[in-house]
């Protein structure tokens, strides 16, 4: 039995050794070579990373290019990025381009939009990005294992025109479950306890694959922080104390700029949030904290050098241009598809359909299934939850009848979050992943304009594999 340390353990560790940790080196940025149409190679392979402390023992990981996160990909809105994925792992894999309203054939879902890419094989993805914003990529085959081992990267799609900030900084948060040898705890991968409860929660938090990165910045700089939660299952509470963070986008889609209440961002697995901060004019240090439990510092900004001066105060000028989303919802002619989530520990589920037959809980557990959508413990190979004519509005009331939060993700589309427990959501909020609390009813709607087969699933990856998955077809 390995010792479990709470994620707050980092706080104690950082108190002792945080100051001694090495400085953050800027990550290499990889751009598409648009002129030559040479595909950009992305190789999934084994690598090593310092997850526990910057100078400490290296952990064996799986990563794109053997790194965690994988290469930061940048492209311009409307551009196409050709990626040749090569799988040098011993397990089949794919790449899913999370949040990109992509052509269905390149959505990367093994068993639905493509066969899994076998060890040694390649697959060519065409990533055309209609929307600017912050996105990410990760496998969609045994995601619960492959993401826990480090396979993910961030994809930035840049708006055209001048920027209302000096620089952007990606903050990709992840939590890892490390064992006593400071290696990824692989013995607990697939543990039914995690699958039936909150999912696989880690005991070490990293930002951009590092336990405590320090970001150099200039006094007075205006930064766009691109926050990504890449954790398998942990909902993060990120606090930017003293930085007056202004939210400008959620899941890649612009929102009317707003000062975050309590300078705090709640961000579920797979979600992204873009915030603008104006750093103060004096040289000093700011920490960004994780505050879902005992708050502890996750990274810091070290201000040094000549101050940057800026004429306009926040939130002037920081609103992002709208993306070309289909935003006109025709609710009168909408197809309504209810989504009832059941199961999990302390739930009321007594059985579910599995592969076409009704089964009791005991048999479901034996098959690794403990959750259901609309009474069905989902597997790849199930029939579609619904089919919808292209261009029709889909209205989806989601009821979370479980004791656990779930982060519902819809592929190929962004949806508007209409209401929570019957109360209209005030913010104009277009998302690809929405957090639903235990007992909550969240209504979403979207225009089904992207033809193909699209998954809808929980992005707590252990919940997904244990039954919280289905798909729909736009024809
Ligand atoms: Cu879930």
């Amino acid at each position: 039995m390995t010792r479990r340390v709470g994620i707050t353990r980092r706080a104690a560790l950082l108190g002792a050794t945080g100051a001694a940790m090495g400085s953050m080196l800027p990550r290499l940025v990889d751009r598409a070579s648009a002129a030559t149409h040479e595909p950009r190679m992305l190789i999934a392979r084994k690598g090593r990373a310092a997850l526990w402390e910057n100078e400490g023992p290296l952990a064996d990981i799986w990563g794109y290019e053997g790194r965690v996160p994988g290469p930061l990909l940048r492209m311009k809105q409307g551009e196409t990025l050709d990626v040749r994925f090569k799988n040098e792992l011993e397990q089949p894999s794919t790449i899913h381009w999370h949040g990109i309203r992509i052509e269905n054939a390149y959505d990367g879902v093994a068993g639905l939009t493509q066969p899994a890419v076998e060890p040694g094989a390649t697959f060519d993805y065409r990533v055309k990005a209609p929307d600017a914003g912050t996105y990410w990529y990760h496998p969609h085959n045994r995601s619960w294992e492959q993401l826990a081992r480090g396979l993910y990267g961030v994809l930035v799609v840049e708006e055209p025109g001048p920027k209302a900030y000096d620089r952007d900084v990606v903050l990709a948060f992840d939590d890892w479950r490390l064992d006593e040898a400071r290696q990824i705890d692989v013995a607990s991968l697939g543990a039914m306890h995690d699958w039936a409860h909150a999912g696989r929660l880690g005991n070490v938090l990293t930002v951009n694959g590092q336990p405590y990165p320090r970001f150099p910045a200039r006094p007075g700089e205006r930064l766009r922080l691109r926050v990504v939660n890449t954790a398998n299952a942990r909902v993060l509470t990120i606090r930017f104390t003293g930085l007056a963070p202004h939210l400008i986008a959620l899941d890649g889609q612009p929102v009317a700029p707003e000062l975050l209440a309590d300078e705090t961002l709640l961000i579920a697995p797979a979600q992204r949030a873009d915030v603008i901060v104006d750093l103060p004019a004096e040289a000093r240090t700011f920490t960004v904290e994780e505050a879902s439990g005992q708050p502890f510092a996750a990274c810091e900004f070290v201000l040094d050098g000549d101050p940057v001066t800026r004429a306009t105060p926040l939130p002037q000028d920081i609103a992002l241009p709208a993306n070309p989303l289909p935003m006109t919802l025709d609710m009168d002619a909408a197809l309504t598809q209810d989504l009832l989530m059941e199961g999990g520990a302390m739930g009321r589920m007594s059985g579910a359909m599995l592969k076409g037959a009704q089964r009791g809980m005991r048999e479901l557990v034996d098959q690794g299934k403990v959750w259901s959508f609309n009474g069905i413990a989902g597997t790849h190979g199930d029939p579609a939850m619904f089919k919808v004519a292209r261009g029709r509005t889909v209205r989806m009331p989601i009821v979370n009848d479980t004791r656990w939060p779930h982060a519902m993700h819809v592929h190929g589309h962004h949806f508007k979050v209409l209401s929570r427990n019957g109360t209209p959501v005030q913010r104009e909020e277009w998302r690809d992943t929405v957090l639903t609390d235990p007992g909550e009813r969240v209504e979403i709607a979207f225009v089904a304009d992207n033809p193909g087969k699209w998954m809808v699933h929980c992005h707590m990856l252990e919940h997904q594999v244990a039954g919280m998955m289905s798909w729909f077809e736009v024809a």
Side-chain angles (χ1 to χ4, degrees):
M1 186 72 188
T2 52
R3 181 175 55 96
R4 294 267 174 274
V5 281
I7 193 169
T8 52
R9 171 64 195 272
R10 278 238 69 84
L13 181 84
L14 288 172
T17 63
M21 286 177 178
S23 66
M24 161 82 183
L25 292 171
R27 294 254 149 189
L28 289 175
V29 169
D30 301 85
R31 281 183 184 278
S33 52
T36 60
H37 285 284
E38 277 290 296
R40 197 218 179 282
M41 287 297 298
L42 265 188
I43 301 174
R45 59 180 172 84
K46 293 179 178 176
R48 309 191 82 195
L51 301 175
W52 177 255
E53 51 188 314
N54 292 5
E55 311 293 324
L58 296 174
D60 296 320
I61 57 112
W62 297 358
Y64 295 107
E65 303 302 320
R67 287 147 55 183
V68 62
L72 172 59
L73 302 178
R74 281 189 188 264
M75 60 192 293
K76 291 192 175 9
Q77 185 172 13
E79 273 185 357
T80 299
L81 177 65
D82 287 311
V83 173
R84 176 159 297 161
F85 169 58
K86 181 153 196 262
N87 183 8
E88 291 187 357
L89 301 169
E90 288 152 21
Q91 192 178 91
S93 192
T94 62
I95 303 181
H96 168 60
W97 307 89
H98 187 113
I100 300 291
R101 295 186 296 126
I102 201 167
E103 193 182 324
N104 191 242
Y106 305 117
D107 197 42
V109 178
L112 187 68
T113 66
Q114 67 169 96
V117 182
E118 294 295 326
T122 64
F123 189 90
D124 289 348
Y125 291 97
R126 300 213 83 190
V127 183
K128 190 169 191 301
D131 303 327
T134 304
Y135 302 93
W136 65 304
Y137 59 96
H138 63 74
H140 223 291
N141 189 57
R142 292 178 69 89
S143 316
W144 51 276
E145 173 177 8
Q146 296 189 2
L147 275 85
R149 289 181 181 269
L151 282 165
Y152 62 82
V154 175
L155 170 61
V156 168
V157 183
E158 294 176 343
E159 295 84 10
K163 295 173 170 54
Y165 49 90
D166 297 309
R167 205 156 52 87
D168 67 356
V169 177
V170 170
L171 302 177
F173 287 79
D174 197 2
D175 76 336
W176 304 81
R177 188 181 293 177
L178 301 187
D179 61 21
E180 286 191 346
R182 310 296 186 238
Q183 295 292 323
I184 294 171
D185 181 354
V186 295
S188 65
L189 280 168
M192 187 51 65
H193 184 274
D194 292 333
W195 290 23
H197 290 74
R200 182 181 174 90
L201 301 178
N203 48 23
V204 168
L205 190 81
T206 60
V207 179
N208 301 349
Q210 301 185 39
Y212 190 74
R214 312 170 101 188
F215 299 97
R218 287 169 66 188
E221 251 193 315
R222 174 168 292 178
L223 300 181
R224 175 179 183 170
L225 307 179
R226 298 179 180 270
V227 181
V228 187
N229 183 346
T230 70
N232 273 39
R234 186 179 289 275
V235 179
L236 295 168
T237 305
I238 298 165
R239 193 187 285 163
F240 306 89
T241 304
L243 289 173
H246 281 71
L247 184 71
I248 56 166
L250 289 169
D251 293 357
Q253 303 301 338
V255 297
E258 66 176 70
L259 178 64
L260 284 173
D262 301 323
E263 304 189 304
T264 296
L265 174 71
L266 186 74
I267 185 165
Q271 290 184 328
R272 289 86 62 214
D274 291 44
V275 299
I276 297 277
V277 295
D278 276 354
L279 299 173
E282 71 271 21
R284 51 171 294 189
T285 295
F286 278 96
T287 59
V288 175
E289 291 176 316
E290 207 294 320
S292 51
Q294 177 77 28
F296 63 95
C299 61
E300 67 181 33
F301 288 88
V302 182
L303 280 52
D304 196 16
D306 295 332
V308 178
T309 52
R310 186 167 285 279
T312 56
L314 292 178
Q316 247 172 280
D317 299 339
I318 59 171
L320 294 168
N323 281 321
L325 277 183
M327 291 189 177
T328 307
L329 300 169
D330 184 354
M331 299 306 286
D332 292 334
L335 171 77
T336 297
Q337 173 64 57
D338 289 286
L339 177 50
L340 174 65
M341 297 187 269
E342 294 177 290
M346 296 173 281
R348 287 194 286 262
M349 188 168 96
S350 58
M353 292 286 286
L354 176 64
K355 295 172 185 163
Q358 185 68 27
R359 329 257 179 176
M361 278 313 290
R362 191 188 181 114
E363 191 180 352
L364 288 174
V365 171
D366 286 346
Q367 303 279 327
K369 299 290 176 184
V370 282
W371 305 91
S372 68
F373 281 174
N374 298 337
I376 298 168
T379 62
H380 292 288
D382 286 341
M385 180 189 285
F386 64 95
K387 294 186 181 181
V388 59
R390 185 178 183 183
R392 193 172 175 192
T393 296
V394 175
R395 175 178 157 262
M396 185 178 282
I398 302 170
V399 172
N400 178 353
D401 190 15
T402 82
R403 299 293 195 94
W404 306 91
H406 302 288
M408 290 302 309
H409 175 40
V410 175
H411 284 214
H413 301 77
H414 275 72
F415 50 79
K416 188 176 183 188
V417 185
L418 299 174
S419 66
R420 290 180 178 273
N421 292 328
T423 305
V425 171
Q426 292 304 314
R427 181 196 282 153
E428 176 95 2
E429 191 173 316
W430 291 85
R431 286 191 170 276
D432 55 54
T433 307
V434 65
L435 184 63
T436 68
D437 283 333
E440 198 175 27
R441 181 184 193 276
V442 178
E443 190 167 325
I444 66 171
F446 60 97
V447 179
D449 69 332
N450 200 352
K453 298 174 174 180
W454 303 104
M455 282 205 74
V456 49
H457 66 86
C458 179
H459 222 287
M460 276 78 166
L461 300 172
E462 292 72 25
H463 297 171
Q464 176 193 340
V465 65
M468 300 191 97
M469 65 164 116
S470 190
W471 61 282
F472 63 97
E473 184 162 17
V474 181

